[in-house]
Amino acid sequence: MMTFGEAPPNPEYPLPEEAKNLIMHTRLTISGSNVMFSDVFPGMPFTAGNNISLSVVSESKEEIESAFSKLKEGGTVIMELQETFWSKSYGSLTDKFGIIWQFNLGMGGM
């Protein structure tokens, strides 16, 4: 993780105190894929919730069930894990931070 406060200072753009501990860059590895994150800089527009949706796709039913179970804690299930016409196990939820997650067991030829 790198905070905005760890970036080299620029005298033309002084860093507000409330931005110093916010995350400028961080990375989370999910099933071998990197997902990059950053906090919204103070004063920038932000819409919580439906501004993004993260998808977890795996060939492992156990991995899908485990991730779904952990992320639903404190959140809201939109659709329980179940078979659909495109997946043997699909589900979606909003986590405790308001982020929407989708889970797919395998994607075949998609």
Side-chain angles (χ1 to χ4, degrees):
M1 289 190 291
M2 175 187 281
T3 65
F4 286 104
E6 292 173 316
N10 182 339
E12 294 179 36
Y13 301 100
L15 189 64
E17 193 62 38
E18 65 270 19
K20 289 183 179 178
N21 291 323
L22 295 178
I23 301 299
M24 183 175 180
H25 299 291
T26 193
R27 173 178 70 194
L28 174 65
T29 302
I30 301 174
S31 298
S33 295
N34 289 328
V35 180
M36 304 297 287
F37 298 92
S38 177
D39 281 320
V40 175
F41 198 80
M44 299 295 289
F46 170 72
T47 304
N50 65 0
N51 56 322
I52 65 164
S53 173
L54 298 175
S55 295
V56 175
V57 178
S58 176
E59 298 299 327
S60 167
K61 186 172 185 177
E62 293 77 22
E63 182 178 27
I64 292 291
E65 290 173 345
S66 175
F68 189 92
S69 176
K70 290 174 184 172
L71 286 167
K72 77 177 186 181
E73 290 178 19
T76 304
V77 173
I78 299 166
M79 182 176 176
E80 287 288 350
L81 289 171
Q82 58 192 272
E83 187 168 347
T84 64
F85 68 88
W86 68 87
S87 175
K88 292 288 184 190
S89 185
Y90 170 84
S92 61
L93 58 83
T94 303
D95 70 17
K96 65 184 177 182
F97 302 106
I99 303 300
I100 298 169
W101 290 80
Q102 298 181 62
F103 301 84
N104 277 287
L105 176 61
M107 292 299 286
M110 298 182 93

